[in-house]
Amino acid sequence: MSVVVLVEVEEGRASLVSREALTFARSLGAGDLHAVVVGPAPEAVVADCRDAGVAVVHEAGDPALERYAAAAWAAVVEAAGRAARADLVVAPGTGRGNEVLAHVAARRNLRMAANVVAVESLAPLVVQRQVVGGAALERATVDGRVRLLTMAGHAVEPSAADAPGAARVAPLALTIDPQDLRAQVVRVEKRESGDTSGLTAAKVVVGAGRGAGGPDGFAAVDRLAERLGGAVGVSRVVTSLGWRPHHEQVGQTGSRIAPDLYLACGISGSIQHWAGCASSRTIIAVNTDPDAPMVTKADYAVIGDMHEVLPAVLEELG
Amino acid sequence: MTDVLVCVKRVPDPTGEVVLTPDGMRVDGRYAGYTTSAHEEAAIALAVQVAESTGGSVTVLSVGAAESVEQIRAGIAVGATDGILVEADPDLLGPADVAAAVAEALRVREEAGRTYGLVLLGNDAADTGDFQVGVRLAYLLGRPVVAGVQTLEVDGDVATLRGEGPEGTEVYEVALPAVATVLEGGVSPKYPSVVGRMKAKKAEVETLGWTGSPVGAGREALTVPEPPPNEVTVIGEGTAAAPGLVAVLRELKVVHG
Ligand SMILES: Cc1cc2nc3c(=O)[nH]c(=O)nc-3n(C[C@H](O)[C@H](O)[C@H](O)COP(=O)(O)OP(=O)(O)OC[C@H]3O[C@@H](n4cnc5c(N)ncnc54)[C@H](O)[C@@H]3O)c2cc1C
């Protein structure tokens, strides 16, 4: 038995969610732990895999893989699965992870369970996964020769294995089929800054969600973050509506923060958002709705319109 | 001219409180009501743009119970041309089954001389969150597929599609026919006009069946997790709470100077 984990590379390292997936896969005790990296595996990524207890790091160096193409990535994951004789393949529950594994599922006619938070049994494979945007959990059986699952972000803490793995780098021999490059990124329009380090290291995070009302609704949020020497964090609604850049997103598919104070304004506190902010030492919610989960789960709350409360707080602070 | 097929799902309103049916197998939408998810509303808006710019048409398809015709007509009310209901018990279907049912409906239309250059779906269903129907459909059709699309344009036989990737906006150029799954955010959903509503009432919705044998979703049960017990201290309401909030900030030692 063995497990293959798709490891995504972010700024030269295994991404946080990938390290979580490695930790989770290892905890299943489902045999040898393998990793697959699309492209040549950077040394720091191999080191991350070693710490996580990975026996083999499969890498694919075909130059055709330089620009993202989900079908080609799926071909790489399939090749790693064959090389490892895997009966379980795990990917991070990111946009890419879910997309690539869906391709593997379609190509091999396999079942896939998305956004898994726990495994109840291995044979048969029974999982708990998030549905209805995390408002409910589904217990589901995933049958098949090879089982595919993606891990909901931040469902586990990444940790090192008791004993490091060999992390032997094994190049995959595969040629990418041009069919798998029919949908490939032709170019990336880069963001000015994609750096999340300011957010994840901040002692204070001032958060804003749909309650900000629009791209112009962040003035007081920005000023308060500056006044408290902190960073701004936002909900996915805010990034998907294009009000703020993705690197400011907190949550399952964004950053995980652990500041001394998280001041969450106009954020309802969905499960996915909570996944990214639950480790904050103190949470204060500012919300018009006293029943919003962000309010009921917070340490302190102010019930009111953030556009009135925040300016008043700034004035009070002087 | 590009004809676009948009696949939508009737789902319990995901912004409402989740109430389960007594057997714990489904979300009971009777309280929250039913809707089309935000991703699929965005897909319809993009499809209407493509149809307008290329002189094509938009067909809204839903696989599900007879009531799904409400979601189909809501799509027609905001600019789609016609609809297809593939009547099936949604509780028996998994993502592979839904993809197979859509593929079969496309074949039926093709035999009748109607082909779709572009098929759009939501990136993930608001209720089951499987993240795979669109990709599975693309493989059944032998077409390329792009996921997480927020904007798109069609020029002749090529679609330019954009979505957010880890480093910025990713641009795809894909030859038609193709499949794309849409995420909300790149386009504002449309609101129905009075004329649109009238049109939707009268528009033709073809009803098809699906003859495949479902593999299902593997669901054993649903649960709604209990929030952990917590006592929140409400500092106050509105601007009057500002001094109290600042006092808490000082207590937490996050205010300097
Ligand atoms: C697979 C998956 C992954 C996801 N990942 C993430 C993620 O990483 N991060 C994330 O955040 N979400 C994520 N989501 C989305 C998540 O489910 C919610 O939709 C999102 O977090 C809601 O954002 P919000 O709180 O800003 O908006 P809403 O839920 O619309 O809440 C807005 C809140 O603002 C309050 N409000 C409105 N006006 C005001 C005002 N003037 N003053 C004060 N309060 C006001 C309202 O009472 C409400 O509580 C994910 C969803 C899925 C399915």
Side-chain angles (χ1 to χ4, degrees):
Chain A
M1 287 220 306
S2 70
V3 191
V4 169
V5 178
L6 172 63
V7 170
E8 292 187 65
V9 179
E10 198 177 280
E11 281 154 23
R13 289 206 48 194
S15 73
L16 173 63
V17 194
S18 300
R19 283 182 282 129
E20 291 167 0
L22 285 168
T23 303
F24 181 80
R26 185 182 72 233
S27 75
L28 297 177
D32 285 345
L33 188 57
H34 293 242
V36 56
V37 178
V38 181
E43 216 155 285
V45 173
V46 176
D48 286 333
C49 290
R50 184 179 302 120
D51 289 346
V54 169
V56 185
V57 181
H58 302 274
E59 61 169 16
D62 190 320
L65 294 163
E66 252 159 52
R67 286 179 284 115
Y68 176 68
W73 279 45
V76 173
V77 173
E78 280 184 79
R82 273 194 303 273
R85 295 174 193 276
D87 33 30
L88 185 61
V89 177
V90 179
T94 54
R96 285 229 198 305
N98 278 321
E99 182 183 15
V100 170
L101 227 59
H103 276 259
V104 176
R107 297 157 80 91
R108 304 290 302 275
N109 197 19
L110 294 168
R111 264 195 211 276
M112 158 182 162
N115 287 319
V116 169
V117 293
V119 166
E120 289 189 358
S121 82
L122 270 178
L125 180 62
V126 180
V127 301
Q128 289 276 0
R129 55 181 289 266
Q130 292 181 341
V131 293
V132 202
L137 290 176
E138 176 185 73
R139 192 152 120 251
T141 307
V142 191
D143 54 15
R145 301 160 271 135
V146 181
R147 284 80 49 89
L148 309 176
L149 49 93
T150 68
M151 281 291 305
H154 315 323
V156 295
E157 281 278 344
S159 68
D162 294 338
R168 178 172 62 81
V169 177
L172 289 164
L174 93 159
T175 331
I176 299 299
D177 184 339
Q179 280 281 100
D180 291 336
L181 299 172
R182 287 180 300 168
Q184 180 173 34
V185 171
V186 291
R187 64 179 179 278
V188 178
E189 293 161 357
K190 292 240 191 261
R191 277 184 287 268
E192 282 153 33
S193 156
D195 189 6
T196 60
S197 57
L199 176 58
T200 53
K203 291 270 173 250
V204 175
V205 175
V206 182
R210 197 194 294 269
D216 306 328
F218 294 82
V221 173
D222 284 327
R223 275 174 55 213
L224 188 57
E226 196 181 325
R227 178 67 180 79
L228 299 175
V232 173
V234 301
S235 73
R236 189 174 79 170
V237 164
V238 166
T239 58
S240 61
L241 292 175
W243 297 351
R244 300 287 285 211
H246 181 268
H247 67 85
E248 289 183 355
Q249 184 177 315
V250 170
Q252 182 179 311
T253 45
S255 292
R256 176 153 69 180
I257 57 170
D260 291 339
L261 170 66
Y262 182 40
L263 182 61
C265 310
I267 296 178
S268 63
S270 68
I271 303 269
Q272 288 91 359
H273 189 80
W274 192 256
C277 69
S279 308
S280 308
R281 186 169 302 160
T282 301
I283 294 180
I284 305 178
V286 177
N287 201 303
T288 44
D289 176 7
D291 297 321
M294 200 73 224
V295 172
T296 57
K297 288 170 152 183
D299 300 292
Y300 299 94
V302 171
I303 309 306
D305 185 336
M306 60 184 280
H307 298 294
E308 293 168 7
V309 176
L310 296 189
V313 168
L314 280 161
E315 200 177 299
E316 186 74 22
L317 283 169
Chain B
M1 191 187 82
T2 303
D3 291 333
V4 189
L5 182 79
V6 186
C7 302
V8 304
K9 184 178 188 183
R10 176 182 172 85
V11 291
D13 187 339
T15 59
E17 196 193 335
V18 175
V19 180
L20 302 182
T21 53
D23 64 358
M25 286 300 281
R26 275 178 300 125
V27 177
D28 197 336
R30 276 182 302 174
Y31 307 99
Y34 287 89
T35 185
T36 307
S37 85
H39 298 334
E40 287 149 29
E41 283 180 347
I44 291 173
L46 289 177
V48 171
Q49 285 180 358
V50 170
E52 279 170 359
S53 72
T54 67
S57 69
V58 177
T59 301
V60 179
L61 176 150
S62 188
V63 179
E67 294 79 19
S68 304
V69 79
E70 282 174 31
Q71 279 62 48
I72 295 173
R73 292 203 190 276
I76 296 171
V78 292
T81 322
D82 66 337
I84 306 174
L85 169 68
V86 182
E87 213 176 326
D89 180 353
D91 296 336
L92 301 179
L93 307 184
D97 304 317
V98 176
V102 175
E104 191 174 300
L106 275 163
R107 265 193 300 274
V108 169
R109 278 271 154 133
E110 217 156 89
E111 277 161 19
R114 184 94 184 270
T115 55
Y116 294 93
L118 194 58
V119 180
L120 301 182
L121 308 88
N123 188 67
D124 50 281
D127 55 352
T128 51
D130 290 305
F131 291 80
Q132 44 191 294
V133 174
V135 175
R136 288 186 188 270
L137 174 66
Y139 280 86
L140 293 175
L141 302 174
R143 296 183 180 193
V145 54
V146 180
V149 167
Q150 294 191 301
T151 63
L152 72 92
E153 291 140 44
V154 170
D155 188 3
D157 286 336
V158 177
T160 303
L161 312 101
R162 284 183 166 77
E164 285 305 303
E167 278 154 25
T169 303
E170 295 180 335
V171 186
Y172 292 83
E173 283 161 13
V174 176
L176 300 181
V179 177
T181 73
V182 175
L183 274 182
E184 67 168 322
V187 60
S188 307
K190 303 187 131 219
Y191 294 97
S193 61
V194 175
V195 180
R197 274 189 233 270
M198 300 274 287
K199 197 185 116 207
K201 264 193 206 148
K202 287 190 230 133
E204 190 194 332
V205 176
E206 182 182 4
T207 303
L208 301 174
W210 179 55
T211 53
S213 44
V215 295
R219 173 177 293 181
E220 308 278 349
L222 290 182
T223 48
V224 177
E226 281 289 318
N230 178 53
E231 279 297 320
V232 56
T233 304
V234 176
I235 300 170
E237 289 188 19
T239 50
L245 178 50
V246 170
V248 172
L249 297 180
R250 293 198 190 280
E251 205 178 299
L252 294 171
K253 299 194 171 28
V254 295
V255 182
H256 308 282

